[in-house]
């Protein structure tokens, strides 16, 4: 091997060693869920969104390079009650005619100890973007699993305004929970 070839090889090795480590890239796999819970006049109900798609770059040892992107289809949201389902997609709530999709993105992650993490991100819903923190458990493996929870203040996004803004009828806080099964991209 010539001296110039050795120098190039050494330089290439140094550049690779100096490159920042990147988080592993994943996409959502079957078996994933995204649900919400609230109550109406004291009666608790749960629902699921029409569909959602998740992409994630995550490595617990490389939180600075981690990213999460979740596209949520609001059309098809179901709670098991036709009247409530029709109301949720109406202009008073999700207004799917104008805002068919919500999106959650995060690029700031914190370790909370053990396999617990927090993603400090932004939820965009009905044209409003507000900070929302998702706390989650990370279960590594061939198909890692993110199991998380968040609280969304619906009135911050204009969901259920007008006559529905009374928080004694419907609380402002809506509990969100998710289990995202992931596979390598």
């Amino acid at each position: 091997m010539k001296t110039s070839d050795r120098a190039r090889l050494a330089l290439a090795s140094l550049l690779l060693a100096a490159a920042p480590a990147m988080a592993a890239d994943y996409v959502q796999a079957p078996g994933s869920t995204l649900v919400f819970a609230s109550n109406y006049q004291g009666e608790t109900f749960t629902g699921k969104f029409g569909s959602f798609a998740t992409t994630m770059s995550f490595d617990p040892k490389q939180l600075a390079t981690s990213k999460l992107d979740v596209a949520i289809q609001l059309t098809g949201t179901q709670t098991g009650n036709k009247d409530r389902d029709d109301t949720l997609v109406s202009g008073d709530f999700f207004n799917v005619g104008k805002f068919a999709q919500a999106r959650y993105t995060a690029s700031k992650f914190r370790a909370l100890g053990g396999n617990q993490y927090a993603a400090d991100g932004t939820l965009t819903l009905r044209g409003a973007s507000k900070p929302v923190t998702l706390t989650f458990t990370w279960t590594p493996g061939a198909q890692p699993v993110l199991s998380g929870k968040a609280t969304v203040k619906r009135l911050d996004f204009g969901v259920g305004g007008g006559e529905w803004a009374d928080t004694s009828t419907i609380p402002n806080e809506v509990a969100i929970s998710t289990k995202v099964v992931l596979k390598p991209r």
Side-chain angles (χ1 to χ4, degrees):
M1 187 181 276
K2 293 182 191 177
T3 303
S4 62
D5 289 339
R6 281 188 213 146
R8 277 187 280 231
L9 183 58
L11 180 60
S13 295
L14 282 173
L15 290 174
L16 285 174
M22 298 302 288
D25 288 335
Y26 301 102
V27 294
Q28 182 178 313
S32 299
T33 59
L34 178 62
V35 298
F36 60 92
S38 188
N39 69 59
Y40 174 67
Q41 296 181 331
E43 177 188 332
T44 299
F45 66 91
T46 60
K48 65 178 184 170
F49 297 100
S51 65
F52 71 109
T54 306
T55 58
M56 185 173 196
S57 294
F58 186 76
D59 181 338
K61 295 176 184 166
Q62 300 296 327
L63 295 179
T65 60
S66 295
K67 293 182 182 0
L68 175 63
D69 187 345
V70 184
I72 306 159
Q73 299 307 316
L74 301 174
T75 303
T77 298
Q78 297 178 357
T79 65
N81 177 298
K82 183 174 176 4
D83 289 338
R84 183 170 40 233
D85 296 350
D86 291 345
T87 301
L88 282 174
V89 298
S90 75
D92 289 331
F93 282 83
F94 293 147
N95 193 7
V96 298
K98 188 172 181 183
F99 305 104
Q101 180 176 285
R103 180 167 236 112
Y104 179 76
T105 58
S107 58
K108 182 181 177 194
F109 289 76
R110 297 177 281 131
L112 302 177
N115 61 348
Q116 304 287 313
Y117 300 89
D120 297 313
T122 301
L123 176 65
T124 302
L125 174 63
R126 286 183 53 109
S129 296
K130 303 287 180 181
V132 172
T133 297
L134 172 72
T135 57
F136 65 94
T137 300
W138 179 257
T139 306
Q143 285 198 307
V145 176
L146 177 155
S147 298
K149 296 179 184 177
T151 300
V152 173
K153 293 185 177 186
R154 66 180 180 87
L155 294 175
D156 287 355
F157 299 92
V159 174
E163 68 179 281
W164 300 105
D166 181 357
T167 57
S168 66
T169 303
I170 303 172
N172 189 26
E173 292 80 15
V174 177
I176 308 293
S177 61
T178 189
K179 175 185 171 191
V180 184
V181 180
L182 297 158
K183 62 184 180 182
R185 190 182 322 197

